[in-house]
Amino acid sequence: MSDLDSLLERLKDAQRTLILEAAKIAMLPPDSMLRRIADLENTIAAVEALIEEQAHRRGRAAE
């Protein structure tokens, strides 16, 4: 597993944990928790894009 794949899994785990914690709250989760979930989502998307970009570059290099 590459460093980026490992990072991606850690980010997803952290986000999943926060979402599960938010689900246990009887009220709307605090803004800070929602912001952390959203920030993780943005970071996850950025890491996935970088992984995709590297895979595309490796594909070109193999041609």
Side-chain angles (χ1 to χ4, degrees):
M1 180 178 281
S2 76
D3 291 341
L4 287 175
D5 290 324
S6 178
L7 173 60
L8 183 60
E9 287 308 308
R10 291 192 312 270
L11 290 167
K12 287 181 177 182
D13 287 343
Q15 186 186 46
R16 187 178 305 109
T17 299
L18 280 173
I19 292 170
L20 292 173
E21 287 176 19
K24 293 177 185 176
I25 299 172
M27 308 171 3
L28 187 64
D31 287 344
S32 60
M33 182 179 274
L34 295 174
R35 198 169 311 117
R36 286 171 48 204
I37 292 168
D39 287 345
L40 283 166
E41 184 64 28
N42 288 335
T43 307
I44 288 167
V47 172
E48 287 175 334
L50 188 55
I51 290 170
E52 181 73 23
E53 180 182 311
Q54 286 186 341
H56 182 68
R57 285 184 181 174
R58 279 192 296 265
R60 271 203 225 156
E63 292 175 2

